[in-house]
Amino acid sequence: MRTINVTASRNYPVMIGAGLLQEAGERIRAAAGGAKACVVTDDHVEPLYAERVESGLAAAGYEPLRFVIAHGEASKSPENYIALLRFLAENRLTRTDVLVALGGGVVGDLTGFAAASYLRGIPFVQLPTTVLAAVDSSVGGKTAIDLPEGKNLVGAFYQPHLVLCDIDTLATLPKETFEDGFAEVIKYGMLGDPELLRLLLLPVEDRMEEILAICVERKRDVVAEDEFDRGKRQLLNLGHTVGHAIEALSGYRQSHGRAVAAGMCIVTEAAVRHGLCPKESLDILRRLCEKFELPQTSEYTVEQMYEVMTADKKRAGNRIHLIVPNGFGSCEIRSMEITELKDFLA
Ligand code: NAD
Ligand code: GLY
């Protein structure tokens, strides 16, 4: 097992290893205390892991409760958010009880936002069960729900008390979902870790603990410097400005990871074309996308994506912060006029 300590407005450990769900009850008790523990999960993850977590919680002296949502992005909704808050209120959870997010990024984001706002904040723990959630969404305290007008439009920065990633849970992921998370893994390599890019060319199945830990260490460093996303943390949006546009244009049928992979390729290709970044960055990115069966292009035109990007929440007035590769395993934040963006990508 590896432990990475995150330093933010709340400090907490991220534990990564095999068999950790077995120990979840005791570890949650040590990190968060409380009498009731509400496990929030989705209908794919529930039959696989909910009982294991709840029996551990009961053995650790908790009264476990369960709230299940349908799987998929559509569940990160205001309706589910209100339904979860009402479930917590009906079951009289107090500020000393705990929410347990068991699942991928959808469950984690929704649970985190409920935890941030119910009674103005109650403890919560992340038990990520996808690669994406393990390396990105469970760490760093960004929580959110979607509105019909756009993704992640309502949320809060709210750090968990503990993140416990049992790598055994990744074995039940559908192949596509497993690969999807590698877009965010590759992202950390592109941002500042050429060694990680080379490591990812090797077989990954037996190296998951190491790979996830490297990514969480990268994220820990960024969050320690810029928890509230005012500067360096924006680097984590590599591929996301274009990726979010692709997700939106697809009506959210395109997964987050696949959209981010295509976004990284489109931006890196533009950076190479503009002479900002060596071609070997694009070459290794493409090799990795091929390996993990991630898309390198999009069916949408730059004009279509531009329309959506102009509504992106990361826009500041008429300027946008685009993350642009500027070396092999290195990127920079480029502030550009929104009108320049189309030319940059075209
Ligand atoms: P997800 O939560 O929808 O999970 C993907 C699918 O895998 C779902 O069908 C789920 O039921 C299933 N699943 C999860 N774990 C499983 C397991 N162990 N075995 C079998 N099936 C399993 O998607 P995701 O990719 O984990 O997360 C995407 C979400 O994360 C998006 O909403 C995105 O906006 C958000 N996100 C948030 C942050 C952040 O910093 N908060 C960062 C990146 C992404
Ligand atoms: N996933 C981007 C961030 O945490 O800032």
Side-chain angles (χ1 to χ4, degrees), residues 42 44-45 48-49 71-73 76 104-107 109 129-130 132-133 136-137 142-143 151-152 169-170 172-174 177 180 184 219 256:
D42 74 24
H44 280 163
V45 179
L48 296 167
Y49 303 115
H71 64 276
E73 185 66 33
K76 241 172 79 174
V106 165
V107 165
D109 279 10
T129 62
T130 64
L132 181 143
D136 196 356
S137 61
K142 277 192 183 175
T143 73
K151 246 186 85 152
N152 296 330
T169 62
L170 307 179
T172 54
L173 283 172
T177 314
D180 207 59
E184 301 283 6
K219 184 147 189 184
H256 182 74

PDB file of all heavy atoms in Angstrom, residues 42 44-45 48-49 71-73 76 104-107 109 129-130 132-133 136-137 142-143 151-152 169-170 172-174 177 180 184 219 256, ligand 1:
ATOM      1  N   ASP A  42     -23.559   3.904  -7.183  1.00  0.00           N
ATOM      2  CA  ASP A  42     -24.480   3.795  -8.327  1.00  0.00           C
ATOM      3  C   ASP A  42     -24.872   2.338  -8.545  1.00  0.00           C
ATOM      4  O   ASP A  42     -24.349   1.428  -7.906  1.00  0.00           O
ATOM      5  CB  ASP A  42     -23.916   4.493  -9.586  1.00  0.00           C
ATOM      6  CG  ASP A  42     -22.784   3.739 -10.257  1.00  0.00           C
ATOM      7  OD1 ASP A  42     -22.677   2.499 -10.097  1.00  0.00           O
ATOM      8  OD2 ASP A  42     -21.974   4.377 -10.951  1.00  0.00           O
ATOM      9  N   HIS A  44     -24.337   0.197 -10.810  1.00  0.00           N
ATOM     10  CA  HIS A  44     -23.333  -0.779 -11.271  1.00  0.00           C
ATOM     11  C   HIS A  44     -22.434  -1.211 -10.114  1.00  0.00           C
ATOM     12  O   HIS A  44     -22.051  -2.375 -10.008  1.00  0.00           O
ATOM     13  CB  HIS A  44     -22.420  -0.154 -12.349  1.00  0.00           C
ATOM     14  CG  HIS A  44     -23.031  -0.124 -13.705  1.00  0.00           C
ATOM     15  ND1 HIS A  44     -22.552   0.670 -14.716  1.00  0.00           N
ATOM     16  CD2 HIS A  44     -24.096  -0.796 -14.235  1.00  0.00           C
ATOM     17  CE1 HIS A  44     -23.273   0.491 -15.808  1.00  0.00           C
ATOM     18  NE2 HIS A  44     -24.221  -0.387 -15.530  1.00  0.00           N
ATOM     19  N   VAL A  45     -22.081  -0.243  -9.288  1.00  0.00           N
ATOM     20  CA  VAL A  45     -21.097  -0.496  -8.229  1.00  0.00           C
ATOM     21  C   VAL A  45     -21.767  -1.150  -7.008  1.00  0.00           C
ATOM     22  O   VAL A  45     -21.151  -1.982  -6.330  1.00  0.00           O
ATOM     23  CB  VAL A  45     -20.397   0.830  -7.838  1.00  0.00           C
ATOM     24  CG1 VAL A  45     -19.375   0.613  -6.732  1.00  0.00           C
ATOM     25  CG2 VAL A  45     -19.714   1.441  -9.070  1.00  0.00           C
ATOM     26  N   LEU A  48     -21.625  -4.884  -6.579  1.00  0.00           N
ATOM     27  CA  LEU A  48     -20.247  -5.396  -6.503  1.00  0.00           C
ATOM     28  C   LEU A  48     -19.611  -5.140  -5.139  1.00  0.00           C
ATOM     29  O   LEU A  48     -18.908  -6.003  -4.599  1.00  0.00           O
ATOM     30  CB  LEU A  48     -19.384  -4.733  -7.590  1.00  0.00           C
ATOM     31  CG  LEU A  48     -19.760  -5.017  -9.050  1.00  0.00           C
ATOM     32  CD1 LEU A  48     -19.029  -4.064  -9.988  1.00  0.00           C
ATOM     33  CD2 LEU A  48     -19.419  -6.466  -9.390  1.00  0.00           C
ATOM     34  N   TYR A  49     -19.823  -3.945  -4.590  1.00  0.00           N
ATOM     35  CA  TYR A  49     -18.985  -3.547  -3.441  1.00  0.00           C
ATOM     36  C   TYR A  49     -19.722  -2.954  -2.234  1.00  0.00           C
ATOM     37  O   TYR A  49     -19.105  -2.774  -1.185  1.00  0.00           O
ATOM     38  CB  TYR A  49     -17.926  -2.529  -3.913  1.00  0.00           C
ATOM     39  CG  TYR A  49     -17.066  -3.078  -5.031  1.00  0.00           C
ATOM     40  CD1 TYR A  49     -17.094  -2.524  -6.304  1.00  0.00           C
ATOM     41  CD2 TYR A  49     -16.243  -4.189  -4.814  1.00  0.00           C
ATOM     42  CE1 TYR A  49     -16.330  -3.043  -7.328  1.00  0.00           C
ATOM     43  CE2 TYR A  49     -15.476  -4.709  -5.842  1.00  0.00           C
ATOM     44  CZ  TYR A  49     -15.530  -4.137  -7.105  1.00  0.00           C
ATOM     45  OH  TYR A  49     -14.773  -4.668  -8.115  1.00  0.00           O
ATOM     46  N   HIS A  71     -26.355   4.753 -12.821  1.00  0.00           N
ATOM     47  CA  HIS A  71     -25.014   5.063 -13.304  1.00  0.00           C
ATOM     48  C   HIS A  71     -25.099   6.104 -14.425  1.00  0.00           C
ATOM     49  O   HIS A  71     -26.128   6.234 -15.091  1.00  0.00           O
ATOM     50  CB  HIS A  71     -24.327   3.793 -13.816  1.00  0.00           C
ATOM     51  CG  HIS A  71     -25.017   3.212 -15.008  1.00  0.00           C
ATOM     52  ND1 HIS A  71     -26.101   2.382 -14.909  1.00  0.00           N
ATOM     53  CD2 HIS A  71     -24.792   3.388 -16.334  1.00  0.00           C
ATOM     54  CE1 HIS A  71     -26.502   2.053 -16.123  1.00  0.00           C
ATOM     55  NE2 HIS A  71     -25.728   2.651 -17.005  1.00  0.00           N
ATOM     56  N   GLY A  72     -24.008   6.846 -14.599  1.00  0.00           N
ATOM     57  CA  GLY A  72     -23.926   7.753 -15.749  1.00  0.00           C
ATOM     58  C   GLY A  72     -23.983   9.224 -15.372  1.00  0.00           C
ATOM     59  O   GLY A  72     -24.471   9.598 -14.298  1.00  0.00           O
ATOM     60  N   GLU A  73     -23.474  10.039 -16.292  1.00  0.00           N
ATOM     61  CA  GLU A  73     -23.345  11.488 -16.063  1.00  0.00           C
ATOM     62  C   GLU A  73     -24.680  12.151 -15.748  1.00  0.00           C
ATOM     63  O   GLU A  73     -24.724  13.106 -14.961  1.00  0.00           O
ATOM     64  CB  GLU A  73     -22.705  12.121 -17.312  1.00  0.00           C
ATOM     65  CG  GLU A  73     -22.388  13.592 -17.211  1.00  0.00           C
ATOM     66  CD  GLU A  73     -21.295  13.933 -16.197  1.00  0.00           C
ATOM     67  OE1 GLU A  73     -20.359  13.137 -16.011  1.00  0.00           O
ATOM     68  OE2 GLU A  73     -21.388  15.025 -15.590  1.00  0.00           O
ATOM     69  N   LYS A  76     -25.560  13.193 -12.184  1.00  0.00           N
ATOM     70  CA  LYS A  76     -24.927  14.306 -11.436  1.00  0.00           C
ATOM     71  C   LYS A  76     -25.866  15.514 -11.532  1.00  0.00           C
ATOM     72  O   LYS A  76     -25.474  16.587 -11.949  1.00  0.00           O
ATOM     73  CB  LYS A  76     -23.561  14.617 -12.056  1.00  0.00           C
ATOM     74  CG  LYS A  76     -22.391  14.439 -11.111  1.00  0.00           C
ATOM     75  CD  LYS A  76     -21.072  14.573 -11.831  1.00  0.00           C
ATOM     76  CE  LYS A  76     -20.624  15.968 -12.128  1.00  0.00           C
ATOM     77  NZ  LYS A  76     -19.264  16.034 -12.714  1.00  0.00           N
ATOM     78  N   GLY A 104     -17.297   5.918  -9.176  1.00  0.00           N
ATOM     79  CA  GLY A 104     -16.463   6.749 -10.050  1.00  0.00           C
ATOM     80  C   GLY A 104     -16.661   8.227  -9.777  1.00  0.00           C
ATOM     81  O   GLY A 104     -17.188   8.624  -8.725  1.00  0.00           O
ATOM     82  N   GLY A 105     -16.259   9.031 -10.757  1.00  0.00           N
ATOM     83  CA  GLY A 105     -16.305  10.479 -10.590  1.00  0.00           C
ATOM     84  C   GLY A 105     -17.702  11.044 -10.447  1.00  0.00           C
ATOM     85  O   GLY A 105     -17.898  12.069  -9.786  1.00  0.00           O
ATOM     86  N   VAL A 106     -18.686  10.383 -11.045  1.00  0.00           N
ATOM     87  CA  VAL A 106     -20.072  10.873 -10.932  1.00  0.00           C
ATOM     88  C   VAL A 106     -20.529  10.794  -9.480  1.00  0.00           C
ATOM     89  O   VAL A 106     -21.005  11.771  -8.900  1.00  0.00           O
ATOM     90  CB  VAL A 106     -20.999  10.065 -11.878  1.00  0.00           C
ATOM     91  CG1 VAL A 106     -22.457  10.287 -11.539  1.00  0.00           C
ATOM     92  CG2 VAL A 106     -20.711  10.446 -13.328  1.00  0.00           C
ATOM     93  N   VAL A 107     -20.351   9.632  -8.881  1.00  0.00           N
ATOM     94  CA  VAL A 107     -20.732   9.449  -7.472  1.00  0.00           C
ATOM     95  C   VAL A 107     -19.904  10.383  -6.580  1.00  0.00           C
ATOM     96  O   VAL A 107     -20.436  11.039  -5.672  1.00  0.00           O
ATOM     97  CB  VAL A 107     -20.510   7.969  -7.053  1.00  0.00           C
ATOM     98  CG1 VAL A 107     -20.531   7.805  -5.540  1.00  0.00           C
ATOM     99  CG2 VAL A 107     -21.557   7.073  -7.709  1.00  0.00           C
ATOM    100  N   ASP A 109     -18.351  13.286  -7.258  1.00  0.00           N
ATOM    101  CA  ASP A 109     -18.663  14.721  -7.394  1.00  0.00           C
ATOM    102  C   ASP A 109     -19.989  15.064  -6.717  1.00  0.00           C
ATOM    103  O   ASP A 109     -20.110  16.085  -6.029  1.00  0.00           O
ATOM    104  CB  ASP A 109     -18.742  15.107  -8.876  1.00  0.00           C
ATOM    105  CG  ASP A 109     -17.368  15.335  -9.498  1.00  0.00           C
ATOM    106  OD1 ASP A 109     -16.353  15.007  -8.852  1.00  0.00           O
ATOM    107  OD2 ASP A 109     -17.312  15.844 -10.631  1.00  0.00           O
ATOM    108  N   THR A 129     -13.551   3.941  -7.514  1.00  0.00           N
ATOM    109  CA  THR A 129     -13.514   2.599  -8.113  1.00  0.00           C
ATOM    110  C   THR A 129     -13.284   2.646  -9.622  1.00  0.00           C
ATOM    111  O   THR A 129     -13.436   1.632 -10.291  1.00  0.00           O
ATOM    112  CB  THR A 129     -14.830   1.836  -7.823  1.00  0.00           C
ATOM    113  OG1 THR A 129     -15.912   2.555  -8.434  1.00  0.00           O
ATOM    114  CG2 THR A 129     -15.089   1.684  -6.334  1.00  0.00           C
ATOM    115  N   THR A 130     -12.962   3.827 -10.167  1.00  0.00           N
ATOM    116  CA  THR A 130     -12.526   3.902 -11.570  1.00  0.00           C
ATOM    117  C   THR A 130     -11.111   4.493 -11.590  1.00  0.00           C
ATOM    118  O   THR A 130     -10.693   5.148 -10.627  1.00  0.00           O
ATOM    119  CB  THR A 130     -13.438   4.800 -12.444  1.00  0.00           C
ATOM    120  OG1 THR A 130     -13.357   6.150 -11.966  1.00  0.00           O
ATOM    121  CG2 THR A 130     -14.879   4.352 -12.445  1.00  0.00           C
ATOM    122  N   LEU A 132     -10.164   6.920 -13.474  1.00  0.00           N
ATOM    123  CA  LEU A 132     -10.304   8.383 -13.497  1.00  0.00           C
ATOM    124  C   LEU A 132     -10.519   8.935 -12.087  1.00  0.00           C
ATOM    125  O   LEU A 132      -9.897   9.917 -11.687  1.00  0.00           O
ATOM    126  CB  LEU A 132     -11.470   8.785 -14.414  1.00  0.00           C
ATOM    127  CG  LEU A 132     -11.693  10.292 -14.542  1.00  0.00           C
ATOM    128  CD1 LEU A 132     -12.108  10.660 -15.956  1.00  0.00           C
ATOM    129  CD2 LEU A 132     -12.714  10.808 -13.545  1.00  0.00           C
ATOM    130  N   ALA A 133     -11.401   8.291 -11.349  1.00  0.00           N
ATOM    131  CA  ALA A 133     -11.677   8.788  -9.993  1.00  0.00           C
ATOM    132  C   ALA A 133     -10.439   8.636  -9.109  1.00  0.00           C
ATOM    133  O   ALA A 133     -10.147   9.497  -8.278  1.00  0.00           O
ATOM    134  CB  ALA A 133     -12.864   8.039  -9.399  1.00  0.00           C
ATOM    135  N   ASP A 136      -7.829  11.407 -10.309  1.00  0.00           N
ATOM    136  CA  ASP A 136      -8.225  12.810 -10.492  1.00  0.00           C
ATOM    137  C   ASP A 136      -9.373  13.224  -9.586  1.00  0.00           C
ATOM    138  O   ASP A 136      -9.196  13.979  -8.623  1.00  0.00           O
ATOM    139  CB  ASP A 136      -8.566  13.052 -11.974  1.00  0.00           C
ATOM    140  CG  ASP A 136      -8.602  14.523 -12.337  1.00  0.00           C
ATOM    141  OD1 ASP A 136      -8.441  15.373 -11.439  1.00  0.00           O
ATOM    142  OD2 ASP A 136      -8.789  14.844 -13.527  1.00  0.00           O
ATOM    143  N   SER A 137     -10.585  12.721  -9.850  1.00  0.00           N
ATOM    144  CA  SER A 137     -11.754  13.348  -9.218  1.00  0.00           C
ATOM    145  C   SER A 137     -11.834  13.146  -7.709  1.00  0.00           C
ATOM    146  O   SER A 137     -12.440  13.957  -7.015  1.00  0.00           O
ATOM    147  CB  SER A 137     -13.043  12.858  -9.886  1.00  0.00           C
ATOM    148  OG  SER A 137     -13.194  11.478  -9.744  1.00  0.00           O
ATOM    149  N   LYS A 142     -12.521  19.163  -5.652  1.00  0.00           N
ATOM    150  CA  LYS A 142     -13.519  19.775  -6.541  1.00  0.00           C
ATOM    151  C   LYS A 142     -14.761  18.896  -6.523  1.00  0.00           C
ATOM    152  O   LYS A 142     -14.678  17.690  -6.810  1.00  0.00           O
ATOM    153  CB  LYS A 142     -12.993  19.877  -7.975  1.00  0.00           C
ATOM    154  CG  LYS A 142     -12.125  21.083  -8.214  1.00  0.00           C
ATOM    155  CD  LYS A 142     -11.879  21.277  -9.699  1.00  0.00           C
ATOM    156  CE  LYS A 142     -10.955  22.440  -9.955  1.00  0.00           C
ATOM    157  NZ  LYS A 142     -10.601  22.572 -11.388  1.00  0.00           N
ATOM    158  N   THR A 143     -15.895  19.499  -6.176  1.00  0.00           N
ATOM    159  CA  THR A 143     -17.155  18.752  -6.154  1.00  0.00           C
ATOM    160  C   THR A 143     -18.154  19.517  -7.006  1.00  0.00           C
ATOM    161  O   THR A 143     -18.052  20.741  -7.114  1.00  0.00           O
ATOM    162  CB  THR A 143     -17.710  18.637  -4.727  1.00  0.00           C
ATOM    163  OG1 THR A 143     -18.222  19.914  -4.326  1.00  0.00           O
ATOM    164  CG2 THR A 143     -16.644  18.182  -3.736  1.00  0.00           C
ATOM    165  N   LYS A 151     -22.043  21.394 -17.784  1.00  0.00           N
ATOM    166  CA  LYS A 151     -21.473  20.471 -16.791  1.00  0.00           C
ATOM    167  C   LYS A 151     -20.795  21.210 -15.655  1.00  0.00           C
ATOM    168  O   LYS A 151     -20.161  22.247 -15.875  1.00  0.00           O
ATOM    169  CB  LYS A 151     -20.412  19.613 -17.503  1.00  0.00           C
ATOM    170  CG  LYS A 151     -20.798  18.158 -17.588  1.00  0.00           C
ATOM    171  CD  LYS A 151     -19.669  17.346 -18.163  1.00  0.00           C
ATOM    172  CE  LYS A 151     -18.701  16.957 -17.068  1.00  0.00           C
ATOM    173  NZ  LYS A 151     -18.000  15.720 -17.341  1.00  0.00           N
ATOM    174  N   ASN A 152     -20.886  20.669 -14.473  1.00  0.00           N
ATOM    175  CA  ASN A 152     -20.139  21.169 -13.304  1.00  0.00           C
ATOM    176  C   ASN A 152     -20.384  22.653 -13.033  1.00  0.00           C
ATOM    177  O   ASN A 152     -19.492  23.349 -12.552  1.00  0.00           O
ATOM    178  CB  ASN A 152     -18.624  20.960 -13.503  1.00  0.00           C
ATOM    179  CG  ASN A 152     -18.256  19.492 -13.591  1.00  0.00           C
ATOM    180  OD1 ASN A 152     -18.919  18.636 -12.993  1.00  0.00           O
ATOM    181  ND2 ASN A 152     -17.215  19.183 -14.331  1.00  0.00           N
ATOM    182  N   THR A 169     -10.696  -3.172  -7.088  1.00  0.00           N
ATOM    183  CA  THR A 169     -12.005  -2.836  -7.682  1.00  0.00           C
ATOM    184  C   THR A 169     -11.879  -2.534  -9.183  1.00  0.00           C
ATOM    185  O   THR A 169     -12.852  -2.630  -9.918  1.00  0.00           O
ATOM    186  CB  THR A 169     -12.661  -1.616  -6.992  1.00  0.00           C
ATOM    187  OG1 THR A 169     -11.817  -0.463  -7.162  1.00  0.00           O
ATOM    188  CG2 THR A 169     -12.898  -1.857  -5.511  1.00  0.00           C
ATOM    189  N   LEU A 170     -10.667  -2.196  -9.626  1.00  0.00           N
ATOM    190  CA  LEU A 170     -10.494  -1.851 -11.041  1.00  0.00           C
ATOM    191  C   LEU A 170     -10.673  -3.086 -11.936  1.00  0.00           C
ATOM    192  O   LEU A 170     -10.918  -2.957 -13.136  1.00  0.00           O
ATOM    193  CB  LEU A 170      -9.115  -1.217 -11.282  1.00  0.00           C
ATOM    194  CG  LEU A 170      -8.774  -0.014 -10.386  1.00  0.00           C
ATOM    195  CD1 LEU A 170      -7.372   0.500 -10.703  1.00  0.00           C
ATOM    196  CD2 LEU A 170      -9.799   1.102 -10.553  1.00  0.00           C
ATOM    197  N   THR A 172     -13.084  -5.105 -12.092  1.00  0.00           N
ATOM    198  CA  THR A 172     -14.449  -5.305 -12.610  1.00  0.00           C
ATOM    199  C   THR A 172     -14.872  -4.208 -13.583  1.00  0.00           C
ATOM    200  O   THR A 172     -16.002  -4.210 -14.059  1.00  0.00           O
ATOM    201  CB  THR A 172     -15.466  -5.372 -11.440  1.00  0.00           C
ATOM    202  OG1 THR A 172     -15.307  -4.198 -10.628  1.00  0.00           O
ATOM    203  CG2 THR A 172     -15.276  -6.610 -10.596  1.00  0.00           C
ATOM    204  N   LEU A 173     -13.976  -3.267 -13.855  1.00  0.00           N
ATOM    205  CA  LEU A 173     -14.339  -2.193 -14.792  1.00  0.00           C
ATOM    206  C   LEU A 173     -14.473  -2.744 -16.202  1.00  0.00           C
ATOM    207  O   LEU A 173     -13.629  -3.532 -16.645  1.00  0.00           O
ATOM    208  CB  LEU A 173     -13.245  -1.117 -14.812  1.00  0.00           C
ATOM    209  CG  LEU A 173     -13.195  -0.149 -13.642  1.00  0.00           C
ATOM    210  CD1 LEU A 173     -11.937   0.709 -13.739  1.00  0.00           C
ATOM    211  CD2 LEU A 173     -14.439   0.727 -13.605  1.00  0.00           C
ATOM    212  N   PRO A 174     -15.490  -2.311 -16.936  1.00  0.00           N
ATOM    213  CA  PRO A 174     -15.515  -2.644 -18.362  1.00  0.00           C
ATOM    214  C   PRO A 174     -14.241  -2.097 -19.010  1.00  0.00           C
ATOM    215  O   PRO A 174     -13.726  -1.049 -18.586  1.00  0.00           O
ATOM    216  CB  PRO A 174     -16.751  -1.892 -18.881  1.00  0.00           C
ATOM    217  CG  PRO A 174     -17.568  -1.565 -17.675  1.00  0.00           C
ATOM    218  CD  PRO A 174     -16.623  -1.475 -16.510  1.00  0.00           C
ATOM    219  N   THR A 177     -14.122   1.572 -19.844  1.00  0.00           N
ATOM    220  CA  THR A 177     -14.073   2.504 -18.703  1.00  0.00           C
ATOM    221  C   THR A 177     -12.677   2.504 -18.098  1.00  0.00           C
ATOM    222  O   THR A 177     -12.167   3.549 -17.682  1.00  0.00           O
ATOM    223  CB  THR A 177     -15.127   2.105 -17.639  1.00  0.00           C
ATOM    224  OG1 THR A 177     -16.358   1.828 -18.289  1.00  0.00           O
ATOM    225  CG2 THR A 177     -15.312   3.194 -16.606  1.00  0.00           C
ATOM    226  N   ASP A 180     -10.612   4.530 -20.408  1.00  0.00           N
ATOM    227  CA  ASP A 180     -11.031   5.937 -20.354  1.00  0.00           C
ATOM    228  C   ASP A 180     -10.205   6.736 -19.336  1.00  0.00           C
ATOM    229  O   ASP A 180      -9.776   7.851 -19.606  1.00  0.00           O
ATOM    230  CB  ASP A 180     -12.505   5.943 -19.920  1.00  0.00           C
ATOM    231  CG  ASP A 180     -13.228   7.156 -20.413  1.00  0.00           C
ATOM    232  OD1 ASP A 180     -13.261   7.351 -21.633  1.00  0.00           O
ATOM    233  OD2 ASP A 180     -13.726   7.917 -19.568  1.00  0.00           O
ATOM    234  N   GLU A 184      -6.628  10.723 -18.289  1.00  0.00           N
ATOM    235  CA  GLU A 184      -6.167  11.598 -17.199  1.00  0.00           C
ATOM    236  C   GLU A 184      -4.766  11.165 -16.723  1.00  0.00           C
ATOM    237  O   GLU A 184      -3.969  11.997 -16.307  1.00  0.00           O
ATOM    238  CB  GLU A 184      -7.156  11.586 -16.022  1.00  0.00           C
ATOM    239  CG  GLU A 184      -8.572  12.033 -16.370  1.00  0.00           C
ATOM    240  CD  GLU A 184      -8.758  13.553 -16.527  1.00  0.00           C
ATOM    241  OE1 GLU A 184      -7.765  14.300 -16.470  1.00  0.00           O
ATOM    242  OE2 GLU A 184      -9.914  13.971 -16.732  1.00  0.00           O
ATOM    243  N   LYS A 219      -0.860  15.372  -8.583  1.00  0.00           N
ATOM    244  CA  LYS A 219      -2.016  16.207  -8.241  1.00  0.00           C
ATOM    245  C   LYS A 219      -1.837  16.841  -6.857  1.00  0.00           C
ATOM    246  O   LYS A 219      -2.167  18.006  -6.657  1.00  0.00           O
ATOM    247  CB  LYS A 219      -3.317  15.390  -8.314  1.00  0.00           C
ATOM    248  CG  LYS A 219      -4.528  16.269  -8.053  1.00  0.00           C
ATOM    249  CD  LYS A 219      -5.773  15.885  -8.787  1.00  0.00           C
ATOM    250  CE  LYS A 219      -6.828  16.969  -8.608  1.00  0.00           C
ATOM    251  NZ  LYS A 219      -8.101  16.642  -9.211  1.00  0.00           N
ATOM    252  N   HIS A 256     -15.981  11.446 -20.525  1.00  0.00           N
ATOM    253  CA  HIS A 256     -15.042  12.505 -20.152  1.00  0.00           C
ATOM    254  C   HIS A 256     -13.616  12.151 -20.610  1.00  0.00           C
ATOM    255  O   HIS A 256     -12.935  12.953 -21.251  1.00  0.00           O
ATOM    256  CB  HIS A 256     -15.101  12.701 -18.635  1.00  0.00           C
ATOM    257  CG  HIS A 256     -14.218  13.793 -18.128  1.00  0.00           C
ATOM    258  ND1 HIS A 256     -14.518  15.120 -18.296  1.00  0.00           N
ATOM    259  CD2 HIS A 256     -13.034  13.756 -17.462  1.00  0.00           C
ATOM    260  CE1 HIS A 256     -13.561  15.858 -17.754  1.00  0.00           C
ATOM    261  NE2 HIS A 256     -12.648  15.049 -17.240  1.00  0.00           N
TER     262      HIS A 256
HETATM  263  P1  NAD B   1     -18.490   7.257 -13.790  1.00  0.00           P
HETATM  264  O1  NAD B   1     -18.538   7.644 -12.396  1.00  0.00           O
HETATM  265  O2  NAD B   1     -19.710   7.510 -14.623  1.00  0.00           O
HETATM  266  O3  NAD B   1     -18.092   5.712 -13.888  1.00  0.00           O
HETATM  267  C1  NAD B   1     -18.010   5.106 -15.162  1.00  0.00           C
HETATM  268  C2  NAD B   1     -18.820   3.808 -15.218  1.00  0.00           C
HETATM  269  O4  NAD B   1     -18.126   2.800 -14.523  1.00  0.00           O
HETATM  270  C3  NAD B   1     -20.211   3.907 -14.567  1.00  0.00           C
HETATM  271  O5  NAD B   1     -21.122   3.190 -15.354  1.00  0.00           O
HETATM  272  C4  NAD B   1     -19.997   3.186 -13.229  1.00  0.00           C
HETATM  273  O6  NAD B   1     -21.196   2.607 -12.760  1.00  0.00           O
HETATM  274  C5  NAD B   1     -18.996   2.140 -13.592  1.00  0.00           C
HETATM  275  N1  NAD B   1     -18.121   1.660 -12.520  1.00  0.00           N
HETATM  276  C6  NAD B   1     -17.467   2.421 -11.620  1.00  0.00           C
HETATM  277  N2  NAD B   1     -16.637   1.663 -10.896  1.00  0.00           N
HETATM  278  C7  NAD B   1     -16.778   0.396 -11.330  1.00  0.00           C
HETATM  279  C8  NAD B   1     -16.151  -0.840 -10.999  1.00  0.00           C
HETATM  280  N3  NAD B   1     -15.159  -0.897 -10.123  1.00  0.00           N
HETATM  281  N4  NAD B   1     -16.554  -1.956 -11.644  1.00  0.00           N
HETATM  282  C9  NAD B   1     -17.522  -1.883 -12.609  1.00  0.00           C
HETATM  283  N5  NAD B   1     -18.121  -0.751 -12.991  1.00  0.00           N
HETATM  284  C10 NAD B   1     -17.746   0.381 -12.364  1.00  0.00           C
HETATM  285  O7  NAD B   1     -17.307   7.978 -14.587  1.00  0.00           O
HETATM  286  P2  NAD B   1     -15.825   8.398 -14.203  1.00  0.00           P
HETATM  287  O8  NAD B   1     -15.099   8.359 -15.470  1.00  0.00           O
HETATM  288  O9  NAD B   1     -15.311   7.688 -13.020  1.00  0.00           O
HETATM  289  O10 NAD B   1     -16.012   9.933 -13.760  1.00  0.00           O
HETATM  290  C11 NAD B   1     -16.458  10.905 -14.661  1.00  0.00           C
HETATM  291  C12 NAD B   1     -16.956  12.094 -13.861  1.00  0.00           C
HETATM  292  O11 NAD B   1     -15.887  12.612 -13.081  1.00  0.00           O
HETATM  293  C13 NAD B   1     -17.475  13.235 -14.725  1.00  0.00           C
HETATM  294  O12 NAD B   1     -18.684  13.692 -14.192  1.00  0.00           O
HETATM  295  C14 NAD B   1     -16.395  14.298 -14.577  1.00  0.00           C
HETATM  296  O13 NAD B   1     -16.906  15.602 -14.708  1.00  0.00           O
HETATM  297  C15 NAD B   1     -15.912  14.034 -13.183  1.00  0.00           C
HETATM  298  N6  NAD B   1     -14.559  14.513 -12.889  1.00  0.00           N
HETATM  299  C16 NAD B   1     -14.374  15.253 -11.761  1.00  0.00           C
HETATM  300  C17 NAD B   1     -13.109  15.715 -11.436  1.00  0.00           C
HETATM  301  C18 NAD B   1     -12.902  16.463 -10.165  1.00  0.00           C
HETATM  302  O14 NAD B   1     -11.793  16.995  -9.944  1.00  0.00           O
HETATM  303  N7  NAD B   1     -13.881  16.522  -9.278  1.00  0.00           N
HETATM  304  C19 NAD B   1     -12.015  15.413 -12.251  1.00  0.00           C
HETATM  305  C20 NAD B   1     -12.240  14.668 -13.413  1.00  0.00           C
HETATM  306  C21 NAD B   1     -13.514  14.220 -13.719  1.00  0.00           C
END
